[in-house]
Amino acid sequence: MMDRFRTIIEPFRIHAVEPIRMSTREERQTAISAAGWNLFGLHADDVLIDLLTDSGTGAMSRDQWAAIQHGDESYAGSPSWFVFLEAVTALWPFRHVIPTHQGRAAEKILFSVIGGPGKVIPNNTHFDTTRANIEATGAEAVDLVIAEGRDPSALHPFKGNLDVAALEALLAARADDIPVVLVTVTNNSGGGQPVSLENLRAVRAVCERYGKPLFLDACRFAENAWFIKTREPGQAGRDIPDIVRDMAALADGMTMSAKKDGLANIGGWLALDDDAIAESCRNLLILTEGFPTYGGLAGRDLEAIAQGLREVVQDDYLHYRIRSTAYLGEALDAAGVPLVKPFGGHAVYLDARALLPHIPPLAYPGQALAVALYIEGGIRGCEIGTVMFGRHPDGSETPASMDLVRLAIPRRTYTQSHIDYVIEVVSRVAARATDLRGFRIAEPQPSALRHFTARFEPLA
Ligand code: F0G
């Protein structure tokens, strides 16, 4: 099955198609200017290839659409809840599973309970919503990824690993302030890079020494498990669900966005073993999300997620998924475009700081590159850099550790010819990189998560 042929075929046929509206360069120039040069402000039908996110934008399978017809909308105790619960706990056997409408709702609930002023929460790299939800409680979010994980070109099979010595030092200094240790699999904000089982074991051992719970931000757990299977010594012959259960066994809980490796368009959950914390979380859930057997979801969503969880751990799917992302990365690398390497599971990250050395970080090279890709070819990527992470709660601004543009690949959605087109567009923009100009952000800026709604002004 594996790599006997060079061409990776999509392990599916297409059953329903969605039209892409073709647009001209001039139309796109007008559209992005009207959107304040913010790609989040576009009408999505003005986008040709939408690589803004892999979150909730994938195609569901025939069997997921069929499962939707089984959705039971009972307010309490719906059969769909039990289908969901069984699918979740088959992989993640935590005592409590709390369904939410998406990952950030799980974060909001968890950190409302265990965060607060004076608290510190370490992670390999916090995703933007995770950091924002922690900071919204007055707590501090600290990134402790290994040094290779901050260097776009450093090769390491598990660049998402958490720096165990740094964690140990933080715990030694501030154990009383640390309610939980998080590890994000895969490490999205650090380039979609995986975390090894060995690293999880080492983190777990430190947590145990200090009596701290370890939670996974498990959005892309199946992709992470595939990297473990294919890169970690001794893991090659194993079934993906077994590797996932090994990850689960090392953790005390998880937050999850089913919009990623749940293969669904909406959904998430919080799962954990601690009864008292679970009780407080459920009380908040009822206030903001819903009754504990549906959270923020319809019964049909619970069914779609359950079926998605059965599909996402299949070897044929994951082989295609990871290889097809690497296909994009390898071609751009061959074209001389600076990239985060190795390539991530769900996305390829262009190194805008390296491509655009004439644009200083505070003039947002990632934004400049993302806008250029849109104007050139209608491709919508996402800046992950100083726009997203540069501004601090006190209003000050410093360069983020990297200025990247993420080309995130929705699951099972685009074909190889779409990706070949992306390769052509990115290569063309990279060839005239010196023409690109930076941006400033119009005042007043949004107070949190500014990248979603800020308006930009092109610099002369
Ligand atoms: N954690 C990680 C690592 C994520 O990548 C995301 C979402 C979340 C938490 C929040 O989940 O969107 O369901 O509320 N990431 C998306 C992205 C939005 O584009 O990377 P959510």
Side-chain angles (χ1 to χ4, degrees):
M1 159 202 117
M2 291 294 167
D3 286 319
R4 287 180 51 232
F5 294 96
R6 201 171 49 82
T7 306
I8 321 147
I9 65 166
E10 290 83 2
F12 49 80
R13 295 177 303 208
I14 293 167
H15 170 74
V17 297
E18 288 181 87
I20 292 175
R21 192 181 72 75
M22 297 299 166
S23 58
T24 64
R25 198 172 200 288
E26 291 65 39
E27 286 168 343
R28 296 191 292 266
Q29 180 87 40
T30 306
I32 190 67
S33 156
W37 307 93
N38 187 333
L39 294 147
F40 285 97
L42 291 169
H43 287 253
D45 55 8
D46 289 332
V47 175
L48 289 185
I49 308 279
D50 203 348
L51 307 183
L52 183 68
T53 178
D54 63 320
S55 181
T57 50
M60 290 208 296
S61 67
R62 173 190 65 189
D63 292 344
Q64 284 179 289
W65 287 109
I68 277 183
Q69 293 298 324
H70 287 267
D72 178 298
E73 306 304 340
S74 301
Y75 190 91
S78 158
S80 299
W81 154 250
F82 294 101
V83 169
F84 169 85
L85 183 62
E86 192 181 320
V88 171
T89 53
L91 294 170
W92 303 97
F94 294 117
R95 285 163 51 74
H96 303 279
V97 177
I98 298 175
T100 59
H101 78 277
Q102 58 185 84
R104 67 198 69 183
E107 295 167 356
K108 164 84 178 157
I109 289 171
L110 177 67
F111 300 126
S112 298
V113 171
I114 65 173
K119 299 278 171 59
V120 187
I121 300 181
N123 200 335
N124 42 2
T125 312
H126 290 279
F127 183 65
D128 61 354
T129 61
T130 321
R131 172 173 286 279
N133 272 304
I134 289 169
E135 289 174 351
T137 72
E140 188 188 339
V142 179
D143 292 336
L144 298 180
V145 72
I146 57 171
E148 291 89 337
R150 294 176 207 267
D151 176 353
S153 59
L155 289 175
H156 187 291
F158 292 101
K159 261 175 109 162
N161 282 355
L162 192 129
D163 182 336
V164 180
L167 176 66
E168 180 111 49
L170 184 68
L171 279 160
R174 302 196 57 180
D176 288 348
D177 300 330
I178 299 177
V180 69
V181 174
L182 292 178
V183 177
T184 302
V185 295
T186 58
N187 190 27
N188 182 17
S189 302
Q193 301 294 321
V195 177
S196 67
L197 275 178
E198 185 190 27
N199 186 250
L200 286 177
R201 276 192 214 102
V203 170
R204 168 86 199 180
V206 175
C207 288
E208 274 178 5
R209 265 207 306 291
Y210 287 87
K212 299 296 172 187
L214 170 61
F215 273 49
L216 299 178
D217 175 340
C219 297
R220 298 176 182 83
F221 71 89
E223 293 170 5
N224 198 86
W226 184 259
F227 283 119
I228 289 173
K229 180 181 166 102
T230 53
R231 291 185 185 169
E232 188 158 350
Q235 303 296 322
R238 301 188 62 205
D239 284 343
I240 294 295
D242 285 338
I243 296 175
V244 175
R245 284 185 284 266
D246 278 4
M247 292 159 61
L250 292 165
D252 302 287
M254 68 189 295
T255 55
M256 176 68 192
S257 169
K259 302 172 76 169
K260 285 81 169 178
D261 278 349
L263 299 180
N265 299 127
I266 196 72
W269 68 85
L270 168 65
L272 69 167
D273 283 331
D274 186 288
D275 296 338
I277 296 176
E279 168 78 12
S280 304
C281 289
R282 280 208 183 89
N283 289 335
L284 278 180
L285 182 83
I286 291 171
L287 281 184
T288 60
E289 292 281 298
F291 187 74
T293 63
Y294 71 85
L297 296 169
R300 56 179 167 270
D301 301 325
L302 296 167
E303 295 271 358
I305 295 166
Q307 179 58 25
L309 290 174
R310 290 190 280 271
E311 295 176 10
V312 78
V313 291
Q314 292 172 8
D315 278 16
D316 285 348
Y317 164 72
L318 285 169
H319 176 239
Y320 143 78
R321 173 72 175 156
I322 302 302
R323 270 301 304 150
S324 57
T325 304
Y327 174 85
L328 171 59
E330 285 164 10
L332 293 177
D333 191 31
V337 179
L339 302 168
V340 175
K341 287 198 270 185
F343 312 121
H346 66 297
V348 167
Y349 294 68
L350 311 179
D351 185 349
R353 196 176 288 174
L355 182 67
L356 306 172
H358 60 289
I359 303 181
L362 295 182
Y364 314 127
Q367 188 66 18
L369 179 57
V371 166
L373 295 177
Y374 174 70
I375 293 173
E376 183 69 33
I379 295 166
R380 176 158 71 168
C382 182
E383 193 264 11
I384 300 207
T386 303
V387 174
M388 191 180 271
F389 294 116
R391 194 165 192 249
H392 309 293
D394 67 1
S396 64
E397 188 175 28
T398 54
S401 59
M402 300 189 266
D403 278 295
L404 306 176
V405 172
R406 184 184 70 171
L407 303 179
I409 311 197
R411 293 170 180 77
R412 307 187 292 200
T413 302
Y414 290 113
T415 64
Q416 187 166 330
S417 63
H418 290 121
I419 298 300
D420 285 337
Y421 171 81
V422 172
I423 293 163
E424 234 184 293
V425 173
V426 177
S427 305
R428 199 178 288 184
V429 169
R432 52 167 195 83
T434 48
D435 297 349
L436 270 52
R437 293 288 166 268
F439 284 91
R440 78 165 78 81
I441 295 182
E443 298 291 342
Q445 300 192 15
S447 58
L449 297 175
R450 65 177 179 174
H451 52 287
F452 288 135
T453 52
R455 294 185 71 84
F456 294 84
E457 292 159 358
L459 296 172

